[in-house]
Amino acid sequence: MTQVYDRVALIGLGLIASSMFWAIKRSGLAQEVTGFARSQETRETARRIGLCDRVCDSAREAVEGADLVVLCVPVGAMEAVAKDIAPALKPGATVTDVGSVKRHVVDAVAPHIPEGVHFIPGHPLAGTEHSGPESGFAELYDNRWCLLIGSENTDTAAMAKLRSLWEGMGANVEEMDPDHHDLVLAVTSHAPHLIAYTMVGVADDLRRVTDSEVIKYSAAGFRDFTRIAASDPTMWRDVFLTNKEATLEILGRFTEELFALQRAIRTGDGDHLFDYFTHTRAIRRSIIEAGQDTDAPNFGRGQVTGQKKD
Ligand code: NAP
């Protein structure tokens, strides 16, 4: 693989940034990768494990001279970081991000990007329930989607380079409008996470089932919910606060469907339940056919977890 950028700066050194670093190194996509995290603890961990060629003590120092700056912090922190680094950005550089919500990031970050610097938001649809600098791995983006947000004003050369970087890290790239992105992700990721958080919360609340029973007899369905509900609280708080409308729209529809299924159970309408479950099973099959999950029993997990999600 050929080098795409001379210098890449990663701001925020958690799961997404560390996976980017290892994937960039795997394929030699940049000559130097600098990094910054707000806590000294994370910076020290990064230095200890060799995460980034150079770990800097300020975000400004990390972005100086960088051709690509990637904002890898929670969505709610993007604006403050953009404001902080703006004076140090190199003319002609590209700023991108990996945030799970796009309209908010566009509105919060774009006003701080200086003239002559390109801003192309992005979102890799890949992740795990783990976070922090030690959770990343080079293969995270292999055969996963990365959505890039372009507009009629987007510099085509800057977009092409960013696309090459993501493809070099193993991802398939598609361009999308920010509002459409937020609606799609509300369906595929945000609402399911909220439902998982709720389901685990409900089980925890049930006094008839003791905590130890919930854990001891944890069946596949509940276990999958607990994995999703173990995701980073800061990240997910920010997702819901910043993708309010689309998430509420999908949850409204979810509630209607839930009521219909509740009614089918109460009235003994087995045909309704059977048809519904047949339809959902077909959706699962099409996800496997699209190469976005494995058909192996127990999601191919065996004894080890490490399921991908976004
Ligand atoms: P993570 O592992 O929790 O790492 C977050 C990083 O951001 C840490 O380095 C943290 O610094 C830093 N940070 C947190 N709050 C900050 C603040 N207020 N100001 C400055 N820095 C701050 O998170 P992640 O999973 O890599 O997620 C990063 C971004 O990727 C988020 O926007 C998320 O929406 C998006 N994303 C996540 C996934 C996923 O599944 N995890 C998938 C796709 C996209 P310290 O370590 O010093 O606290």
Side-chain angles (χ1 to χ4, degrees):
M1 190 63 69
T2 48
Q3 188 183 309
V4 181
Y5 293 100
D6 288 336
R7 189 185 295 171
V8 172
L10 303 173
I11 307 301
L13 293 175
L15 168 73
I16 296 298
S18 56
S19 296
M20 286 185 77
F21 175 74
W22 300 120
I24 287 171
K25 287 291 146 181
R26 177 181 68 173
S27 301
L29 302 168
Q31 199 169 4
E32 189 190 28
V33 180
T34 58
F36 168 76
R38 71 180 164 164
S39 72
Q40 197 174 344
E41 189 189 346
T42 299
R43 296 198 296 272
E44 277 168 12
T45 303
R47 288 185 181 117
R48 178 173 53 76
I49 64 173
L51 169 61
C52 293
D53 299 311
R54 191 155 52 85
V55 177
C56 302
D57 288 320
S58 79
R60 287 193 191 185
E61 188 192 337
V63 307
E64 258 168 36
D67 308 289
L68 177 72
V69 174
V70 192
L71 309 182
C72 306
V73 298
V75 172
M78 294 284 182
E79 181 172 13
V81 171
K83 205 168 165 182
D84 178 33
I85 61 169
L89 292 169
K90 179 170 115 171
T94 295
V95 174
T96 187
D97 79 300
V98 294
S100 305
V101 178
K102 295 279 52 100
R103 169 53 63 194
H104 175 86
V105 171
V106 169
D107 292 347
V109 171
H112 301 288
I113 302 296
E115 189 99 3
V117 172
H118 310 293
F119 177 46
I120 307 175
H123 179 202
L125 306 189
T128 73
E129 64 276 30
H130 302 297
S131 46
E134 295 184 271
S135 58
F137 51 99
E139 299 77 23
L140 180 66
Y141 305 114
D142 286 349
N143 202 30
R144 309 296 296 184
W145 286 102
C146 179
L147 303 176
L148 296 179
I149 309 299
S151 71
E152 67 272 23
N153 302 323
T154 305
D155 184 273
T156 47
M159 175 61 93
K161 271 187 108 166
L162 187 57
R163 175 184 273 272
S164 297
L165 181 84
W166 278 107
E167 288 174 349
M169 290 191 290
N172 305 310
V173 176
E174 205 139 275
E175 288 180 39
M176 204 178 264
D177 157 81
D179 298 308
H180 187 63
H181 166 279
D182 289 356
L183 183 62
V184 170
L185 268 291
V187 177
T188 59
S189 173
H190 305 168
H193 270 80
L194 199 76
I195 292 160
Y197 280 124
T198 315
M199 195 57 230
V200 176
V202 166
D204 194 41
D205 275 350
L206 276 181
R207 295 291 169 240
R208 281 171 295 161
V209 183
T210 68
D211 282 355
S212 61
E213 278 174 318
V214 168
I215 291 163
K216 185 173 170 187
Y217 301 122
S218 161
F222 184 68
R223 274 205 309 268
D224 288 335
F225 278 127
T226 60
R227 181 181 59 76
I228 296 171
S231 299
D232 187 68
T234 306
M235 170 186 158
W236 285 97
R237 176 201 63 196
D238 286 4
V239 165
F240 294 119
L241 292 181
T242 57
N243 196 18
K244 218 182 253 187
E245 268 179 41
T247 309
L248 291 176
E249 158 77 17
I250 300 306
L251 286 172
R253 292 189 193 199
F254 173 81
T255 313
E256 284 172 23
E257 301 266 320
L258 189 64
F259 279 144
L261 289 174
Q262 255 177 291
R263 193 182 317 111
I265 293 170
R266 187 177 307 111
T267 59
D269 186 352
D271 288 347
H272 181 87
L273 296 173
F274 186 85
D275 290 348
Y276 202 92
F277 302 157
T278 304
H279 177 63
T280 54
R281 186 178 234 194
I283 293 173
R284 168 79 191 152
R285 257 200 306 275
S286 53
I287 290 172
I288 291 160
E289 275 159 25
Q292 294 300 301
D293 209 344
T294 170
D295 198 18
N298 199 19
F299 307 103
R301 246 184 245 144
Q303 292 301 313
V304 189
T305 54
Q307 269 291 290
K308 289 174 177 173
K309 64 187 185 61
D310 41 73

